[in-house]
């Protein structure tokens, strides 16, 4: 884990430079660069004091939101080392590298690689590796020194000795550090200093209950966390993938054909892994890590779990034109998020009416372009309310066998949601209208059938009838009317016949 | 081989050269002699693009065309499609060497499998039909129970909502590229406003190659689009106009005339390869079996009672 200065990717300036923030009515310094720190100016000082030390101090307003966003981007970029990466506070990134250090040939090499790439991006940093998060935090901020250039091989050993805390030696590494390294409040640190505890080693030697009685239980908890007894989980920035394959490129690539080839190669790797486990992927995320630290993502989803490499590669490469490679891509990472069991396929001679393998790739392609919720099955439901009698179910859900619904009077082929209000004229309150006006056209009714009464389904929690205006109705009387030209409409009167005034709507048109 | 058989095979080969794509995948008859006679092959060509227009205010809602398309799509069945076997092909021709391009993989199907090629039997019709119907539209106002009344099983429908015409054309083309195997796509239905000629031609080629039928319902939102699109020449094999006409008087209720048998005016505007065009029929709306019918009797014959949707359900269960 490593802290980095708040100004993001700008290289360390030669002149003293600080950022200023307004806090509690005064201008305070939010951060100072090393040149300023060398002159004795630290963050948290009031601006007036700093200017009295150094009259020519260059200042800028602190942009905390942009800094937080830049830190998030950096944490996303650190995804190339491990999916468990997250920003830590306002100036650090924590990465869980258990299980991924061997991909670089060891922790020292991983640290060197990280240091080198950060230096190339112009981020000055301090980093440390330890077996507990608390120990790494402490060593990074209080023990490690800043590394400017890329460490050569001969300096690697020296670097490793300084920043990598070997397994089990967290206690020894923490002992000489000041108590502020325990992530405590300044007030508690002050209190510890007053009783003469300046080093972590001294605090560790004191009996725990004495510390708890005097300073509260934070101190004891931080000590335990630094030594690893209660594990401190890291919540990663994004969703943690269940399978991940990575392709690191020696030279950055930018050509779309090369990107496509990289995607295909990764798809083959992932598919071979999935095939060994008998699983198929539902959601894939392809991340392109650019040399300047940004990450571009392509996300696809499938309706059914799939491990067909040609199909998945085609879905991914179809969206390649949304990726801007910038100056070049140096890493490509393919992560599978939703992985489900997928048995080996049987070829079926008589296909059922469900989604079979024949049409599933087509639905995936349509879903990649229009979104998977553009596809729906129209499933019947047991309901008297017409708009609830047929619902759109997502394509990936299993089609459930519905019992045959009881016979109903004829239904229209087009149903308007919401029903459109019309102005209707009738002779008797119970009768269908003899004339009605809809969409500025008048229709004279030649023949009519009805009424069919539909009442609200009070036994369902959402069984209310709602008309176009949103007000609930208790009753709808449906009429099938045919006008003089032959078009057949489905009208209903909302409310009871005696209600003044009755409201009429057109709900659908028959074929 | 006798000279007569040779002659027949040669004529078939010439016919196939003259019209390479037509009728390759068989036809779907309407079971109404008047309509079937007007169509080449005796029915609606499968594996082709057909266009349906509305009239008047129905150009906006597209209700009559939806019902007619549903009645056709509901009867398209993939159960007996063998991928690679051209539907409706003459079984004799499949046994001979003549008339086949040997590079065409379809020619390897031996003659013994010919009886399994789709035929228009009652047996085929009574079984449950398979194959997905992909229905693409811009507004989500399709109501499945209504389509079921015209013969289209709602369990077969997959509805795709795309915001623009080019999205719908893309979905149609992708659907037409899928093979029409029993678990795949039987037909695609698209509700399109603007259809450029080039796009129509591409759809037709894709349909011929795969055997999936495309039904295009023309639905327009404003007068300008309608005026420009109505007259545009199209690449579809047939072009129809469907209008709803007053139904025959039904049973009276409280001395008020009720709606009897609903009817359509079906007009065949254009048909590729047919002699007569602009033929009109007044038919009774397709019922749950998906078949339209022309009443044989005269006007003063009492209207036949409507077949309820319950009966075909029973037939399906028994068959």
């Amino acid at each position: 884990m490593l802290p980095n200065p708040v100004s993001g990717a700008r290289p360390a300036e030669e002149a003293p430079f600080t950022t200023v923030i307004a806090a509690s009515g005064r201008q305070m310094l939010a951060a100072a660069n090393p040149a300023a720190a060398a002159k004795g100016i630290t963050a948290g000082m009031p601006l007036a004091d700093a200017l009295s030390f150094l009259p020519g101090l260059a200042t800028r307003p602190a942009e905390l939101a942009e800094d937080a966003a830049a830190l998030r981007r950096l944490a996303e970029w650190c995804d190339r080392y491990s999916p468990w990466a997250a920003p830590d506070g306002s100036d650090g990134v924590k990465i869980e590298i258990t299980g991924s250090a061997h991909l670089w040939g060891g922790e020292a090499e991983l640290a060197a690689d990280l240091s080198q790439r950060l230096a190339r991006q112009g981020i000055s940093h301090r980093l440390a590796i330890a077996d507990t998060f608390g120990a790494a935090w402490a060593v990074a901020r209080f023990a490690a020194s800043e590394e400017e250039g890329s460490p050569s091989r001969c300096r690697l050993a020296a670097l490793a000795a300084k920043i990598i805390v070997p397994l089990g030696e967290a206690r020894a590494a923490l002992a000489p550090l000041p108590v502020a390294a325990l992530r405590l409040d300044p007030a508690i640190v002050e209190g510890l200093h007053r009783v003469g505890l300046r080093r972590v080693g001294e605090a560790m030697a004191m009996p725990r209950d004495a510390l708890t009685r005097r300073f509260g239980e934070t101190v004891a908890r931080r000590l335990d966390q630094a030594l690893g007894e209660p594990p401190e989980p890291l919540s990663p920035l994004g969703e943690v993938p269940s399978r991940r394959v990575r392709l690191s490129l020696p030279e950055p690539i930018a050509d779309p054909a090369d990107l496509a080839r990289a995607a295909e190669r990764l798809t083959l790797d992932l598919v071979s892994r999935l095939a060994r486990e008998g699983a198929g992927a539902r959601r894939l995320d392809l991340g392109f890590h650019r040399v300047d630290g940004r990450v571009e993502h392509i996300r696809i989803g499938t309706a059914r779990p799939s491990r067909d490499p040609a199909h998945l590669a085609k879905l991914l490469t179809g969206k390649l034109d949304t990726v801007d490679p910038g100056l070049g891509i140096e890493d490509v990472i393919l992560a599978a998020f939703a992985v489900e069991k997928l048995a080996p396929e049987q070829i079926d001679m008589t296909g059922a009416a469900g989604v079979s393998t024949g049409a599933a790739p087509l639905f995936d392609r349509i879903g990649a372009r229009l979104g998977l919720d553009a596809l729906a099955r129209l499933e019947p439901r047991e309901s008297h309310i017409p708009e609830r009698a047929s619902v759109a179910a997502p394509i990936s859900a299993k089609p459930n066998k519905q019992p045959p619904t009881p016979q109903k009077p004829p239904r229209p082929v087009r149903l308007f949601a919401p029903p459109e209000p019309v102005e209707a004229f009738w002779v008797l309150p119970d009768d269908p209208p003899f004339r009605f006006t809809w969409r500025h056209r008048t229709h004279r009714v030649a023949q009519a059938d009805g009424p069919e009464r539909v009442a609200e389904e009070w036994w369902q929690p959402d069984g209310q009838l709602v008309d176009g205006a949103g007000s609930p109705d208790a009753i709808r009387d449906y009429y099938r009317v045919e006008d003089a030209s032959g078009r057949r409409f489905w009208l209903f009167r909302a409310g009871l016949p005696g209600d003044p005034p009755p409201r009429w709507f057109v709900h659908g048109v028959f074929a | 081989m006798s000279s007569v058989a040779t002659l027949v095979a040669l004529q078939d080969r010439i016919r196939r050269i003259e019209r390479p794509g037509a009728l390759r995948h068989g036809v779907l008859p309407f079971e109404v002699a008047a309509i079937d006679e007007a169509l080449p092959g005796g029915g609606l060509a499968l594996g082709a693009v057909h266009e349906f227009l509305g009239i008047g205010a129905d150009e906006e809602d597209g209700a009559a065309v939806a019902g007619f398309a549903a009645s056709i799509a509901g009867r398209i069945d993939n159960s007996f499609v063998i991928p690679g076997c051209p539907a409706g092909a003459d079984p004799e021709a499949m046994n001979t060497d003549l008339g086949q391009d040997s590079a065409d993989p379809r020619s390897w199907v031996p003659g013994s499998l010919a009886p399994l090629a789709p035929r228009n039997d009652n047996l085929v019709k009574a079984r449950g039909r398979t194959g997905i119907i992909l229905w693409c539209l811009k507004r989500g106002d399709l109501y499945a129970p209504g389509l079921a009344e015209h013969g289209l099983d709602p369990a077969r429908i997959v509805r795709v909502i795309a915001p623009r015409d080019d999205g719908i054309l893309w979905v149609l083309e992708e659907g037409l590229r899928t093979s029409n195997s029993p678990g795949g796509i039987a037909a695609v239905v698209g509700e399109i406003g603007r259809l450029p000629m080039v796009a129509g031609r591409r759809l037709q080629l894709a349909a011929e190659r795969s055997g999936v039928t495309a039904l295009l319902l023309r639905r327009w939102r404003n007068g300008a689009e309608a005026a420009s699109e109505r007259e545009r020449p199209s690449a579809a094999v047939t072009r129809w106009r469907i209008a709803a006409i007053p139904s025959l008087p039904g049973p009276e209720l409280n001395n008020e005339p009720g709606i009897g048998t609903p009817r359509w005016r079906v007009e065949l505007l254009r048909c590729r390869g047919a002699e007569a065009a602009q033929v009109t029929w007044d038919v009774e709306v397709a019922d749950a079996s998906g078949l339209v019918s022309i009443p044989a009797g005269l006007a003063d014959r009492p209207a036949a009672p409507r077949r309820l949707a319950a009966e075909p359900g029973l037939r399906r269960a028994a068959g």
Side-chain angles (χ1 to χ4, degrees), chain B residues 5-262:
Chain B
T6 318
L7 187 63
V8 165
L10 277 172
Q11 280 177 338
D12 188 58
R13 194 173 177 193
I14 292 173
R15 181 166 43 87
R16 225 174 276 139
I17 293 171
E18 281 179 344
R19 275 181 308 151
L23 302 183
R24 208 182 191 190
H25 299 282
V27 294
L28 184 75
F30 282 93
E31 311 281 327
V32 174
I35 304 180
D36 287 339
E37 276 159 11
L39 294 168
L44 200 72
L46 296 174
V49 173
H50 304 280
E51 222 179 306
F52 303 90
L53 282 74
I55 195 169
D58 205 34
E59 283 178 339
E60 189 182 352
D61 293 318
V65 289
F68 194 65
S71 70
I72 294 173
R75 289 182 294 125
I76 298 179
D77 189 8
N78 272 355
S79 305
F80 292 93
V81 169
I82 302 170
C85 170
D90 182 11
E92 277 297 298
M94 283 160 59
N95 258 330
T96 66
D97 299 332
L98 288 175
Q100 303 293 335
D101 355 336
S102 44
D104 185 355
R106 292 161 191 256
S107 58
W108 62 268
V109 179
S112 56
L113 282 182
L116 289 178
R119 288 171 304 171
N120 300 310
D121 280 345
N122 286 328
L123 188 63
V124 174
K125 282 194 304 247
R127 299 224 184 114
R129 296 184 173 111
T130 60
I132 294 174
I133 309 289
L134 199 70
W135 199 298
C136 320
L137 65 169
K138 291 199 279 272
R139 304 185 228 183
D141 54 3
L142 202 63
Y143 194 53
L147 297 176
E149 289 180 9
H150 297 288
L152 176 55
D153 182 10
R156 294 172 71 188
I157 304 177
V158 171
R159 181 192 75 176
V160 179
I161 298 188
R164 283 182 308 273
D165 279 330
D166 50 357
I168 296 191
L169 284 172
W170 181 84
V171 174
L172 289 178
E173 200 175 338
E174 289 288 320
L176 286 173
R177 289 225 181 96
T178 328
S179 74
N180 62 339
S181 53
I185 308 279
V188 297
V189 182
E191 303 189 4
I192 302 201
R194 286 197 59 245
L195 181 67
M197 178 78 171
V198 174
R201 185 89 193 109
R202 276 172 56 170
L203 292 178
Q204 172 65 21
L205 288 172
E208 280 173 14
R209 199 167 297 133
S210 69
V212 179
T213 313
L215 308 172
L216 302 181
L217 313 182
R218 308 304 303 273
R219 233 183 129 170
W220 297 306
R221 266 190 238 236
N222 54 42
E225 194 181 47
S228 65
E229 289 290 321
R230 229 179 269 135
E231 306 309 319
R232 192 195 287 262
S234 84
V237 168
T238 58
R239 200 166 194 214
W240 305 76
R241 184 183 289 145
I242 319 291
I245 55 178
S247 56
L248 301 170
E252 292 210 350
L253 199 67
N254 302 335
N255 298 327
E256 300 281 343
I259 297 182
T261 325

Side-chain angles (χ1 to χ4, degrees), chain A residues 241 243-247 262-271 273 283-289 298 300 312 316 331-337:
Chain A
R243 311 275 182 283
R244 216 166 91 118
V245 285
R246 188 175 66 100
L247 184 67
E264 284 162 20
R265 183 132 149 232
L266 281 175
T267 317
L268 277 172
D269 290 342
L270 185 68
V271 158
R273 267 184 79 174
R283 260 191 307 140
L284 292 179
D285 180 301
L286 185 62
F288 293 98
H289 289 248
I298 293 179
I300 58 147
L312 293 174
L316 288 168
D331 281 304
V332 189
I333 299 182
L334 179 63
F337 282 102

Side-chain angles (χ1 to χ4, degrees), chain A residues 314 348-371 373-380 384-390 392-393 395 399 401 407-417 420 431-432 438-439 441 443 446-451 480-490 509-511, chain B residues 55-58 60-68 79 129-132 134-135 137 139-147 149-150 153-163 166-167 170-171 174-175 177-179 181-185 191 217 219 243-251 253 256-264 285 308-310:
Chain A
K314 186 149 167 245
D348 197 13
M349 287 300 281
T350 63
V355 174
S356 73
T357 50
L362 168 70
F363 298 146
D364 293 341
R365 282 201 298 277
I366 298 179
R369 173 156 165 159
L370 300 172
D373 43 357
L375 288 150
R377 291 190 163 273
L378 302 171
E379 289 198 349
H384 297 293
I385 302 177
E387 59 261 31
R388 300 223 186 90
S390 172
I395 194 80
K401 286 271 174 240
Q407 271 317 302
K408 290 204 165 76
R411 290 289 183 255
V413 288
R414 299 279 180 205
L415 198 78
F416 303 126
E420 303 194 4
D431 279 352
W438 179 48
R439 288 183 184 165
R441 280 197 206 100
H443 302 266
Q447 293 161 53
D449 264 344
R480 218 173 129 222
V481 305
E482 182 180 288
D483 75 351
S485 70
R487 286 184 79 201
R488 290 166 276 274
F489 305 89
W490 210 34
V509 187
F510 288 90
Chain B
I55 195 169
D58 205 34
E60 189 182 352
D61 293 318
V65 289
F68 194 65
S79 305
R129 296 184 173 111
T130 60
I132 294 174
L134 199 70
W135 199 298
L137 65 169
R139 304 185 228 183
D141 54 3
L142 202 63
Y143 194 53
L147 297 176
E149 289 180 9
H150 297 288
D153 182 10
R156 294 172 71 188
I157 304 177
V158 171
R159 181 192 75 176
V160 179
I161 298 188
D166 50 357
W170 181 84
V171 174
E174 289 288 320
R177 289 225 181 96
T178 328
S179 74
S181 53
I185 308 279
E191 303 189 4
L217 313 182
R219 233 183 129 170
I245 55 178
S247 56
L248 301 170
L253 199 67
E256 300 281 343
I259 297 182
T261 325
R263 295 194 301 159
W264 286 328
V285 156
L308 287 178

Side-chain angles (χ1 to χ4, degrees), chain A residues 99 143 163 200 203 210 222 263 266 280 310 326 341 371 381 386 403 434 437 474 500 509:
Chain A
I163 64 170
V200 174
R222 288 297 189 201
L266 281 175
K341 271 186 71 67
R381 292 273 183 273
F434 62 85
T437 305
V509 187

